[in-house]
């Protein structure tokens, strides 16, 4: 296990944050992933961040039904055991989704979690949906930043006394990538908080639409319908008054007829996400730890009901008490790796080429890192 530090020069005088890295080589039981997670947990000092008998949220993403690249429950169980050994009282948690799917309410969410192996018998802790049955259980948390004076955070996250955030690091069509910051921002908020972040409104390019109906089926607000286009050809149309900006139509549209003005919208989206991430750790700045898994680095979030081929080879597991430094290290490590031609990249990508803009050309993940640093969530160094 080694310690990594980015060679960037930060825009301020912040001390560099420690990020610890474990590779995936193993030639015996003392080198398996469970042993590496335990070593990272100790090295990053997570034991000192869990007060005795603290209700400790182990924040995960259980994956949408049909997805299989979420973090293995076997690895999550190791973290649960470590939290117990440190004196905490862990529970597994995630929040309901904004879009229609297998985690849109707590009943469906818990059924999906159990199907994917997150039952008590496997992970050793109860699974609690953080924002309640219909995503209405939350509290306003003051942050006073550029986009929000306060943010809506799921009640169970606010009530938890400590938190270990486990994130599968991967690509994302709007954010560029998803790691610890996105896991806090989207994963710790109710549907109204997700709406706050997804403030952009989508449109349909008539000439590209093939009228397949995938966007209509995916819309949680029934904001999309077929209308008569040029020459009476049937095309999809989005009612901007009903659209909540969740972006699910963008994800499922194969011909990419759904779009937004990326030049003006992508940056603010990433900034809003960073501010919500800050709100999720308010009051737990000294009792939260973060672990990122650079395994199965897919082009999409685990919210999609499929798992595409990884963009790069598996790299390792990283831990830190600073989510910005952690995501920065992961961002660097993915881009320093060689990209797979058989992935969505479509060709071999050399070490040093940006793999995330390679698949999502309109995005720039650096925006969320820069804004997260600017608002005090952590340092990129």
């Amino acid at each position: 296990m080694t310690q990594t530090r980015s060679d960037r020069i930060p825009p301020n005088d912040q001390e560099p944050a420690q990020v610890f890295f474990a590779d995936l080589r193993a030639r015996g039981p003392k080198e398996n992933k469970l042993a590496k997670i335990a070593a990272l947990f100790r090295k990053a000092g997570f034991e000192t961040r869990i007060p005795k008998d603290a209700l400790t949220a182990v924040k995960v993403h259980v994956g949408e039904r049909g997805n299989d690249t979420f973090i293995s429950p076997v690895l999550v169980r190791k973290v649960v055991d470590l939290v117990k050994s440190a004196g905490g009282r862990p529970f597994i948690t995630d929040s309901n989704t904004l879009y229609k799917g297998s985690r849109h309410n707590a009943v469906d969410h818990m059924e999906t979690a159990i199907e994917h192996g997150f039952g008590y018998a496997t992970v050793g802790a109860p699974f609690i949906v953080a924002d309640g049955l219909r995503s209405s259980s939350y509290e306003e948390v003051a942050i006073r930043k550029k986009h929000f004076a306060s943010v809506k955070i799921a009640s169970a996250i606010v009530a938890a006394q400590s938190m270990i955030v486990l994130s599968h690091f991967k690509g994302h069509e709007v954010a560029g990538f998803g790691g610890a910051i996105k896991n806090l921002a989207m994963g710790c908020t109710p549907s109204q908080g997700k709406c706050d972040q997804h403030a952009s409104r989508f449109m349909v390019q008539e000439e590209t639409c093939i009228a397949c109906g995938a966007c209509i089926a995916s819309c949680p607000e029934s904001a999309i319908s077929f209308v008569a286009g040029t020459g009476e050809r049937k095309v999809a149309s989005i009612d901007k008054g009903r659209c909540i900006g969740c972006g699910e139509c963008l994800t499922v549209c194969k011909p990419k007829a759904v779009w937004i003005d990326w030049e003006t919208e992508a940056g603010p989206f990433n900034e809003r996400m960073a501010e919500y991430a800050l709100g999720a750790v308010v009051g737990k700045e000294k009792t939260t730890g973060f672990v990122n898994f650079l395994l199965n680095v897919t082009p999409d979030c685990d919210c999609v009901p499929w798992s595409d081929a990884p963009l790069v080879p598996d790299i390792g597991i990283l831990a830190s008490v600073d989510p910005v430094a952690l995501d920065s290290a992961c961002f660097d490590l993915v881009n320093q790796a060689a990209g797979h031609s058989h992935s969505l990249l479509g060709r071999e990508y050399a070490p040093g080429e940006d793999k995330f803009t390679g698949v999502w050309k309109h995005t720039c993940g650096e925006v969320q890192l820069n804004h997260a640093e600017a608002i005090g969530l952590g340092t990129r160094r």
Side-chain angles (χ1 to χ4, degrees):
M1 183 174 64
T2 58
Q3 178 177 317
T4 69
R5 291 190 182 187
S6 172
D7 57 3
R8 291 190 192 86
I9 302 300
N12 50 43
D13 295 327
Q14 285 181 298
E15 287 295 314
Q18 291 182 317
V19 178
F20 298 95
F21 169 78
D23 65 25
L24 299 176
R25 290 301 311 274
R27 302 306 307 152
K30 292 184 179 180
E31 297 177 344
N32 64 30
K33 292 186 182 71
L34 302 180
K36 291 176 188 288
I37 289 170
L40 286 166
F41 197 93
R42 290 191 297 270
K43 194 73 174 177
F46 290 171
E47 292 161 321
T48 65
R49 294 192 151 233
I50 302 172
K52 181 174 172 51
D53 294 327
L55 296 174
T56 303
V58 179
K59 175 63 184 72
V60 300
H61 188 314
V62 303
E64 192 69 14
R65 186 176 288 124
N67 181 283
D68 58 22
T69 45
F70 48 86
I71 299 169
S72 167
V74 175
L75 303 182
V76 175
R77 171 63 180 255
K78 184 60 179 179
V79 175
V80 167
D81 290 344
L82 290 164
V83 170
K84 290 178 180 178
S85 295
R89 301 182 64 193
F91 62 96
I92 309 296
T93 193
D94 196 5
S95 63
N96 294 316
T97 61
L98 181 59
Y99 58 83
K100 286 180 180 176
S102 64
R103 298 176 301 123
H104 188 57
N105 60 67
V107 174
D108 293 346
H109 201 156
M110 294 182 75
E111 287 180 348
T112 301
I114 292 169
E115 287 175 14
H116 287 181
F118 291 90
Y120 193 99
T122 303
V123 296
F127 179 78
I128 297 174
V129 178
D131 55 332
L133 184 64
R134 291 183 176 272
S135 199
S136 59
S137 180
Y138 64 88
E139 295 186 29
E140 291 278 350
V141 175
I143 59 168
R144 298 182 181 86
K145 298 302 177 184
K146 176 181 176 181
H147 295 279
F148 302 109
S150 65
V151 293
K152 303 172 181 68
I153 304 299
S155 295
I157 300 296
V158 176
Q161 296 157 297
S162 63
M163 181 162 59
I164 303 296
V165 181
L166 308 181
S167 306
H168 170 213
F169 197 87
K170 66 280 179 190
H172 187 272
E173 191 163 4
V174 185
F177 72 86
I181 296 172
K182 185 174 180 295
N183 198 2
L184 289 171
M186 293 293 176
C188 293
T189 59
S191 58
Q192 290 188 43
K194 293 176 175 71
C195 282
D196 287 347
Q197 296 171 74
H198 285 289
S200 305
R201 295 298 176 263
F202 295 84
M203 299 170 278
V204 176
Q205 300 178 90
E206 181 180 325
E207 65 276 13
T208 309
C209 178
I210 60 174
C212 66
C215 58
I216 294 175
S218 71
C219 182
E221 297 297 314
S222 301
I224 311 175
S225 60
F226 285 130
V227 299
T230 304
E232 297 302 307
R233 185 173 71 90
K234 184 171 67 171
V235 296
S237 178
I238 300 173
D239 181 345
K240 292 183 181 179
R242 300 186 68 175
C243 175
I244 57 175
C246 69
E248 189 65 8
C249 54
L250 180 76
T251 300
V252 301
C253 182
K254 288 187 176 180
K256 300 303 177 187
V258 178
W259 69 290
I260 61 174
D261 184 351
W262 294 106
E263 192 168 327
T264 60
E265 296 287 353
F269 167 80
N270 276 280
E271 290 180 352
R272 291 191 294 268
M273 199 169 65
E275 293 186 12
Y276 254 85
L278 180 69
V281 297
V282 166
K284 288 187 283 292
E285 295 88 347
K286 302 297 184 182
T287 59
T288 299
F290 304 88
V291 184
N292 279 7
F293 292 78
L294 284 176
L295 313 174
N296 296 310
V297 183
T298 51
D300 310 291
C301 180
D302 295 334
C303 291
V304 300
W306 66 80
S307 293
D308 202 348
L311 303 175
V312 297
D314 287 350
I315 296 171
I317 308 170
L318 295 89
S320 181
V321 298
D322 186 319
V324 183
L326 181 62
D327 277 0
S328 294
C330 291
F331 185 81
D332 290 345
L333 286 169
V334 171
N335 285 329
Q336 288 165 11
H340 291 316
S341 62
H342 62 261
S343 71
L344 191 59
L345 288 168
R347 66 169 175 83
E348 296 289 342
Y349 267 60
E353 288 190 89
D354 191 321
K355 311 306 183 296
F356 301 108
T357 56
V359 289
W360 308 123
K361 296 184 171 37
H362 48 255
T363 65
C364 182
E366 301 239 9
V367 174
Q368 63 172 291
L369 295 172
N370 290 337
H371 193 63
E373 182 177 56
I375 63 176
L377 182 60
T379 177
R380 291 198 64 182
R381 188 172 180 182

